[in-house]
Amino acid sequence: MKIRSILLALALIAACSPKPDEPVTPDDPNEEQKDTTAVEPVPVVDSVALSLEEALMLDFVFDDDGKAHDGSKNSLWIDSKLGVNMMTYYNGSAERNVARFFNSLGGIVDEGFYKYSYYSNTSFKNALASGHSMEVLFMLGEDPRDVGEIKMFSSMEAGGTGFLITDQSRGREITFLPNTTNQGEKNWRWCRSGVVPEVGKYYHVVGVWDKEAGKARIYVNGELKNTVAAAGTLNFPNGAASNWFCVGGDPSGASCQSAWNGDVVIARVYSEALTDAQAAKLWEKAPKNFQAPSIKLSNVLFFSECEVKINSVYTIAADGLVTGDKIRLEGDETFDCVTEILSDRALVTIPESFKSGDYKIFAVRGAESAPIGSARLTVSDSPRELFAPKVVAHRGFHGSGRPENSIAALKAAQDGGFYGSEMDVWMTTDGELFVNHDGVISGKTIQNCTAADLAGVTLSNGEPLPTFRQYLEQFAKNTATRLVIEIKSHSSDQRNLDCTLEMLKEVDEAGLADYVDYISFDWGVCTAIAAQKPGSIVGYLTSTSNLEGMLEKGINCADFAYTYLFSNPSLFDRAHSMGMLVNIWTVDSPSEMMRAIGLGADFITTNKPDVLQNIVERLF
Ligand code: MG
């Protein structure tokens, strides 16, 4: 109604104004000399464009500093979850800043995305619920291979709306996916486009949920590709914490899942179900002159947070570099660095006038440049020496049919030649030790069961739930990969201690004490182990920056979650200066692995030990 009345008013104003080609009768005879063409022409009212402007209620506009702001009339606050996995850069073809994401496709990340939370914005929610549209212009940066769904702009969690690229079983199509309840039946309304995105190409997509008509539509590059039934009421994402629009992935509480790799140029939400004419107008206005980049780099690795020395070399490993390529570091000042290209890496000389700061990194070839990431580089006369971290397979090298903490996962870690294979230990009421992460398996709480109660329990690959003794038997076959033993937190301190003593006894009996490390979230467990096994590596899984007193108790490794450590990076140096080691868990994306190495992690615990091992082999 509001739009219609504005349009009507404008039409009336236009009708009452003199047309440019009508002669103007002058009041003043002197005016006669004036050229009548100088009369200001009435601007042509583009009612479609005007209606779009009116309906636009969220518009992610990417700024030079990597953040985003809302370009709509609402000026909503956008939370820019800045991280090493994202940057903004000026894209000449689009004539604007573009967000580039380097997340591992489909992964879960805690930074490297943009967030607009609408949970407490009632009018925004009402507008979504009464019918809405979304617009995105994106480029997929990497082949999705075997990962599941990937999302560049969405708000879904067991409900919601947004775009995705479907998983392989659904054909990898660009899809608009609102969730509605119709006649008591809650369902995703799969509005698939039939378009499978090619890596490196840009796609303009409009998704429309028309509540009144009970339909959803999807347009790709200006063409209506599909209309599906989507009657009913809109379901919002399940849980307040997921009521937000994500650019760069999909909300999952405070985290982002189904993470994106590639560009997002436009990400907008409209308060109405747009018409064909409006969708056509969006396509008309969208940038289209994207050139296929000639610089195609893959397997890019660099230290995103490290110390550098003037005139020393900063290495960027990548496939696809050619002789003559240069590396540009763009911060407050821009440096086109002296660059030596080897077959798989660029050796970048840090220039004389370089300053500490945050830099965007580009590969430059002739007139073209390609963004490859961002880094926080600190100038130092004696930069921290980088060393290869020790690779610890989290719960064994699981995946590909090998369940976590299975004998198969331990064997795979041994075969992979990793430094260590981590595992978790629980004790039953009758003093038997079992290996499992969760306290409950097949509905049975391990610490409340007897060994007999657990006799028939199997893992998903058919293996019986392993006892600690069975695990040690496999471990004894190849101790080149160390066993990293975690004692889980039981219902009482006494039970923790009983479990610890039994574990130490079994390790001793098997003659394996020289080949194991220990970790626990429980202080009492850690101090008990350190007292019994002085000189062993004992890691306390902590989230406190207070490391005082640990070493005196024999706890020689500070063991931090990566989210905490990346927020408190000075802890690396502090722990090291106190003579302690640092383990960081659970680091699964290559860029985060690089960040952890750059900060000086002694151990990196990961669900992707093969990926980390590969990185270590490439860099050291
Ligand atoms: Mg564990």
Side-chain angles (χ1 to χ4, degrees):
M1 285 305 284
K2 207 173 168 189
I3 296 172
R4 273 193 212 115
S5 45
I6 290 170
L7 291 177
L8 189 63
L10 283 165
L12 280 169
I13 293 165
C16 297
S17 307
K19 299 282 187 302
D21 53 352
E22 279 175 2
V24 178
T25 314
D27 297 332
D28 180 348
N30 294 333
E31 292 271 30
E32 262 177 316
Q33 303 306 314
K34 283 192 179 169
D35 183 354
T36 54
T37 59
V39 173
E40 270 207 7
V42 173
V44 177
V45 177
D46 184 339
S47 58
V48 177
L50 201 68
S51 63
L52 284 169
E53 208 171 294
E54 182 67 17
L56 180 63
M57 63 172 180
L58 175 61
D59 180 7
F60 288 84
V61 177
F62 305 107
D63 299 320
D64 199 42
D65 62 1
K67 294 180 180 170
H69 71 270
D70 175 24
S72 83
K73 59 188 178 302
N74 298 323
S75 299
L76 301 169
W77 184 72
I78 290 168
D79 191 1
S80 301
K81 299 286 188 188
L82 302 182
V84 296
N85 294 340
M86 71 195 284
M87 67 188 283
T88 57
Y89 74 101
Y90 185 78
N91 183 310
S93 305
E95 297 183 320
R96 71 183 74 193
N97 281 322
V98 165
R100 167 70 58 97
F101 300 91
F102 301 97
N103 292 314
S104 45
L105 265 182
I108 299 176
V109 291
D110 294 315
E111 56 177 35
F113 58 92
Y114 299 98
K115 170 176 184 174
Y116 169 65
S117 175
Y118 53 81
Y119 179 67
S120 53
N121 186 340
T122 310
S123 59
F124 191 95
K125 286 173 85 170
N126 288 345
L128 283 178
S130 66
H132 64 266
S133 304
M134 292 174 64
E135 178 188 15
V136 70
L137 177 55
F138 71 85
M139 181 273 285
L140 178 62
E142 194 180 87
D143 185 343
R145 298 180 309 277
D146 56 349
V147 303
E149 294 175 345
I150 45 176
K151 303 181 188 178
M152 79 307 283
F153 184 28
S154 81
S155 181
M156 303 175 195
E157 182 69 46
T161 185
F163 295 113
L164 77 158
I165 312 294
T166 56
D167 64 14
Q168 267 170 329
S169 71
R170 286 194 163 93
R172 282 267 177 255
E173 293 177 33
I174 302 171
T175 299
F176 178 58
L177 188 63
N179 185 292
T180 68
T181 293
N182 189 30
Q183 298 177 339
E185 199 196 323
K186 180 178 175 180
N187 250 320
W188 292 106
R189 310 300 169 183
W190 294 87
C191 194
R192 293 156 67 164
S193 67
V195 178
V196 180
E198 281 176 44
V199 173
K201 276 196 171 180
Y202 288 80
Y203 296 85
H204 180 261
V205 188
V206 176
V208 174
W209 178 57
D210 188 336
K211 180 182 164 71
E212 224 166 286
K215 304 274 188 208
R217 295 189 291 277
I218 186 165
Y219 305 79
V220 178
N221 294 347
E223 258 181 64
L224 177 62
K225 293 292 186 186
N226 198 6
T227 303
V228 300
T233 53
L234 183 73
N235 295 306
F236 287 101
N238 189 24
S242 295
N243 275 224
W244 48 282
F245 274 99
C246 181
V247 176
D250 181 51
S252 176
S255 303
C256 157
Q257 62 184 6
S258 309
W260 190 247
N261 183 301
D263 280 359
V264 174
V265 185
I266 288 173
R268 296 174 180 143
V269 182
Y270 298 86
S271 61
E272 321 242 338
L274 301 183
T275 62
D276 282 350
Q278 287 171 317
K281 176 62 75 179
L282 292 181
W283 168 238
E284 183 193 312
K285 288 167 64 176
K288 300 179 190 68
N289 300 320
F290 293 102
Q291 275 114 40
S294 67
I295 306 174
K296 288 182 181 129
L297 303 181
S298 56
N299 292 322
V300 178
L301 286 177
F302 58 89
F303 291 105
S304 54
E305 193 165 341
C306 72
E307 295 177 341
V308 293
K309 190 178 175 181
I310 302 295
N311 288 325
S312 70
V313 163
Y314 174 68
T315 301
I316 296 173
D319 296 334
L321 291 163
V322 300
T323 307
D325 285 354
K326 293 257 176 304
I327 296 296
R328 175 177 296 156
L329 299 175
E330 188 186 298
D332 289 339
E333 218 179 309
T334 296
F335 299 93
D336 281 321
C337 302
V338 173
T339 309
E340 185 186 350
I341 302 294
L342 304 182
S343 61
D344 64 344
R345 65 194 56 208
L347 305 179
V348 184
T349 301
I350 298 298
E352 199 73 48
S353 55
F354 193 79
K355 304 253 174 356
S356 300
D358 293 335
Y359 286 85
K360 298 178 186 182
I361 307 174
F362 296 87
V364 180
R365 186 176 298 166
E368 206 190 323
S369 66
I372 60 181
S374 56
R376 175 161 296 173
L377 302 176
T378 306
V379 175
S380 166
D381 282 340
S382 52
R384 181 190 299 122
E385 206 176 314
L386 299 175
F387 55 89
K390 295 186 166 73
V391 179
V392 178
H394 184 230
R395 306 177 195 170
F397 185 17
H398 54 84
S400 304
R402 301 182 303 270
E404 294 176 355
N405 278 315
S406 61
I407 299 278
L410 169 60
K411 183 173 184 310
Q414 292 172 310
D415 292 346
F418 308 129
Y419 164 84
S421 185
E422 189 259 5
M423 43 88 81
D424 305 281
V425 179
W426 289 98
M427 191 175 73
T428 58
T429 51
D430 53 350
E432 191 75 47
L433 302 186
F434 281 86
V435 178
N436 198 56
H437 177 265
D438 292 355
V440 179
I441 184 164
S442 301
K444 297 176 178 184
T445 303
I446 298 170
Q447 63 170 315
N448 295 343
C449 288
T450 62
D453 293 336
L454 298 167
V457 174
T458 55
L459 306 181
S460 59
N461 64 343
E463 246 180 60
L465 176 69
T467 64
F468 185 57
R469 283 183 201 279
Q470 287 164 341
Y471 223 75
L472 289 178
E473 271 169 38
Q474 172 59 39
F475 174 54
K477 292 176 185 171
N478 177 2
T479 52
T481 293
R482 297 177 72 82
L483 198 62
V484 179
I485 302 169
E486 176 177 350
I487 298 296
K488 301 308 285 185
S489 296
H490 294 68
S491 57
S492 71
D493 290 346
Q494 187 57 51
R495 298 207 63 196
N496 285 339
L497 191 62
D498 292 346
C499 180
T500 302
L501 296 178
E502 176 63 22
M503 177 274 295
L504 291 173
K505 185 175 132 225
E506 292 184 19
V507 169
D508 279 340
E509 283 170 2
L512 294 168
D514 290 343
Y515 309 103
V516 301
D517 301 340
Y518 308 93
I519 58 172
S520 182
F521 279 98
D522 188 86
W523 175 257
V525 167
C526 289
T527 50
I529 294 171
Q532 296 245 345
K533 296 284 173 194
S536 290
I537 293 176
V538 181
Y540 179 44
L541 293 152
T542 180
S543 56
T544 168
S545 57
N546 182 12
L547 306 176
E548 303 301 322
M550 286 191 195
L551 206 53
E552 291 72 28
K553 291 280 186 187
I555 296 168
N556 46 18
C557 183
D559 214 319
F560 294 104
Y562 73 100
T563 40
Y564 184 73
L565 210 37
F566 284 164
S567 311
N568 300 278
S570 64
L571 277 172
F572 280 95
D573 283 349
R574 183 125 55 88
H576 286 156
S577 69
M578 293 170 76
M580 296 181 74
L581 299 162
V582 177
N583 174 44
I584 180 169
W585 51 277
T586 309
V587 183
D588 292 343
S589 81
S591 58
E592 284 159 349
M593 291 169 181
M594 291 299 287
R595 191 172 176 197
I597 298 169
L599 287 167
D602 299 283
F603 306 89
I604 297 179
T605 301
T606 174
N607 290 305
K608 306 233 165 123
D610 52 337
V611 173
L612 179 57
Q613 186 90 330
N614 181 265
I615 286 176
V616 168
E617 281 166 10
R618 283 180 71 195
L619 290 169
F620 296 99

